[in-house]
Amino acid sequence: MKTLSSFISILERYKIHHILFWAFYHFAWWSLFSGSIAKVFESILLPYGIVKYLGYVVYQALGVYFCLYVLIPKFLQKGKHLVFFLSTIGVILLMAIAITVNYYLAALIANESVYELYNISPETPLTIFKHNALPSCLGATTLGLSIKLTKIWVASQKRQQVLEKEKLETELKFLRSQFNPHFLFNTINSIFVLIKKDQEKASNSLVKFSELLRYQLYECNEPFIALERELNYLENFIELQKLRQDQTNFELHVELNKTTNYNLEIAPFVLIPFVENAFKHVSHHKSSKNWINVKLGITQKALVFYVSNSRNVLEIAQDSNTSGIGLNNVKRRMELLYPNAHALDIIKDKAKYKVALRLQLNEIQIKKNQIA
């Protein structure tokens, strides 16, 4: 059992199973074409027979792998379907031409006419190309593409399942971080204090608090939501966090461009962790200003989000150990939600902490069941 396991390990390490696959595939194709396995064995034992056989194995393996590992990622997965189709056809034709030429090499080794050696009629290169080389190349390429595209689809499904799991876990962690007694108590207490000082402001804060709770519980159950809804939530969140700061020594600058209807969608709770960390880890200087800056802009479909806050040197070590829902969690979620469509830069120094995020958003997709 151990010997078999070692043998399989060697095959996987050096990709020998690929060679075995193509050798068996062409042996089976040749046997089916000739109608006799015994004749195939006899032919392969001859010098010209092995040349013909290796011509099919080598040229088709090279051509198919070129399609799988060059054309698919470079063209098909980037949406360039026509270029991919034409390029694949070109590769198939080149494979068939190379194999056709290889027939003549095999005949040269046998010192016979290729048409007599392989009983080909009419006696033209086009006959070999059309009836021998091209059908085999089409079959090999179709098989290879089918296997590769199936693997890509299965990987995509697994990735989607991981994304859903990660999304649920992230949202649960975020909700726990917000709906803990400490957060609720401080927010409600801040509003209670406002009732005695400014009832109108307290009333507005209570409305924002209720909107924030409603959003977290009911309005963000979809994988992607309207950007406008996320920005409204972000604004309410900032206003409530602002109540908990010492207004005499704190500056908050917020610039959210909400005036334009961009018709874009975003994954919920993507922006909040950075703002949450800014409020949680902002400095508490007594002799100088403590500040937080939040800025969001849209250029075409690209969202650019900046969050920065002042830092206290004495709190830097403590801040590194407590980061809200965790930047590693956020980075992982970005990789799952926006692969190849985001850029995240985090800059730390003794005076400030700055986050720069760039997301490539999509337009809102109208679901069929929403159309009356």
Side-chain angles (χ1 to χ4, degrees):
M1 198 71 179
K2 186 176 181 180
T3 304
L4 178 60
S5 177
S6 299
F7 177 71
I8 294 174
S9 176
I10 292 173
L11 290 180
E12 292 180 349
R13 184 184 305 171
Y14 297 103
K15 306 297 182 183
I16 298 177
H17 59 288
H18 285 249
I19 300 174
L20 296 177
F21 168 80
W22 286 110
F24 174 78
Y25 169 79
H26 288 290
F27 180 85
W29 180 273
W30 195 357
S31 300
L32 182 64
F33 187 78
S34 64
S36 173
I37 296 177
K39 288 182 179 180
V40 174
F41 272 117
E42 291 177 4
S43 299
I44 290 179
L45 293 176
L46 299 171
Y48 69 86
I50 193 65
V51 169
K52 173 193 171 186
Y53 178 66
L54 289 177
Y56 274 96
V57 173
V58 173
Y59 290 129
Q60 289 190 4
L62 290 175
V64 171
Y65 285 132
F66 183 80
C67 292
L68 302 187
Y69 297 106
V70 177
L71 299 186
I72 286 180
K74 189 172 183 179
F75 298 121
L76 184 62
Q77 292 183 322
K78 293 183 179 180
K80 300 177 181 179
H81 301 106
L82 180 60
V83 178
F84 171 76
F85 176 75
L86 295 176
S87 300
T88 303
I89 294 298
V91 171
I92 293 173
L93 294 176
L94 287 175
M95 283 192 292
I97 292 171
I99 290 172
T100 301
V101 173
N102 193 67
Y103 269 81
Y104 288 89
L105 177 61
L108 183 64
I109 293 173
N111 198 24
E112 292 187 38
S113 168
V114 66
Y115 308 109
E116 293 178 0
L117 181 62
Y118 294 110
N119 193 25
I120 296 171
S121 180
E123 297 179 356
T124 64
L126 186 60
T127 304
I128 302 174
F129 179 85
K130 288 174 57 178
H131 299 289
N132 298 80
L134 185 59
S136 179
C137 292
L138 282 171
T141 305
T142 301
L143 177 63
L145 289 177
S146 299
I147 294 173
K148 182 64 174 179
L149 293 177
T150 300
K151 290 175 67 176
I152 291 175
W153 180 82
V154 171
S156 176
Q157 292 298 110
K158 289 182 178 179
R159 178 181 169 277
Q160 185 63 30
Q161 292 175 358
V162 172
L163 175 60
E164 291 296 328
K165 181 180 179 181
E166 293 271 350
K167 176 178 178 291
L168 290 174
E169 291 178 353
T170 300
E171 289 180 358
L172 286 174
K173 289 178 181 178
F174 180 78
L175 290 173
R176 280 197 293 268
S177 73
Q178 296 300 344
F179 290 122
N180 58 65
H182 181 72
F183 171 79
L184 293 174
F185 175 79
N186 283 319
T187 304
I188 294 172
N189 186 61
S190 298
I191 296 175
F192 179 76
V193 172
L194 273 179
I195 292 175
K196 299 179 180 180
K197 297 181 177 180
D198 190 335
Q199 293 187 0
E200 184 177 354
K201 188 174 181 180
S203 177
N204 291 334
S205 299
L206 191 60
V207 170
K208 292 183 182 296
F209 185 57
S210 65
E211 290 176 354
L212 183 136
L213 295 178
R214 185 185 304 111
Y215 175 87
Q216 291 181 329
L217 289 174
Y218 304 114
E219 296 183 9
C220 56
N221 296 322
E222 297 295 329
F224 293 91
I225 61 172
L227 176 61
E228 183 181 3
R229 290 166 58 189
E230 181 74 2
L231 294 185
N232 287 336
Y233 171 77
L234 183 63
E235 189 176 51
N236 290 336
F237 181 85
I238 292 173
E239 286 297 321
L240 289 175
Q241 290 285 0
K242 183 180 177 181
L243 295 177
R244 301 168 58 182
Q245 303 299 319
D246 182 5
Q247 302 300 323
T248 60
N249 200 33
F250 175 72
E251 290 183 353
L252 174 64
H253 178 73
V254 179
E255 186 178 339
L256 303 179
N257 193 343
K258 297 174 55 182
T259 59
T260 305
N261 180 15
Y262 296 105
N263 196 36
L264 299 174
E265 61 182 9
I266 189 173
F269 302 123
V270 166
L271 306 177
I272 286 296
F274 305 110
V275 178
E276 179 195 24
N277 283 340
F279 276 99
K280 187 172 184 179
H281 303 301
V282 68
S283 62
H284 299 284
H285 300 298
K286 295 182 179 179
S287 58
S288 59
K289 283 290 183 180
N290 307 296
W291 53 268
I292 295 177
N293 294 327
V294 180
K295 183 178 180 181
L296 183 144
I298 303 288
T299 303
Q300 294 181 349
K301 295 182 182 180
L303 179 147
V304 182
F305 188 56
Y306 298 101
V307 181
S308 58
N309 62 274
S310 56
R311 303 182 78 194
N312 190 330
V313 177
L314 298 177
E315 296 174 347
I316 290 177
Q318 179 182 357
D319 289 354
S320 62
N321 296 325
T322 55
S323 57
I325 68 171
L327 288 178
N328 289 334
N329 197 335
V330 175
K331 291 177 181 178
R332 173 62 177 158
R333 193 165 181 234
M334 289 292 178
E335 292 173 357
L336 291 169
L337 288 169
Y338 297 97
N340 303 318
H342 79 281
L344 177 62
D345 294 318
I346 299 175
I347 301 172
K348 303 178 184 179
D349 58 37
K350 294 182 179 180
K352 66 179 180 298
Y353 189 104
K354 182 179 180 180
V355 173
L357 173 66
R358 182 182 179 89
L359 289 179
Q360 192 66 34
L361 304 180
N362 295 319
E363 293 184 355
I364 296 175
Q365 301 296 320
I366 301 177
K367 297 181 179 180
K368 293 181 179 179
N369 56 10
Q370 292 178 340
I371 300 176

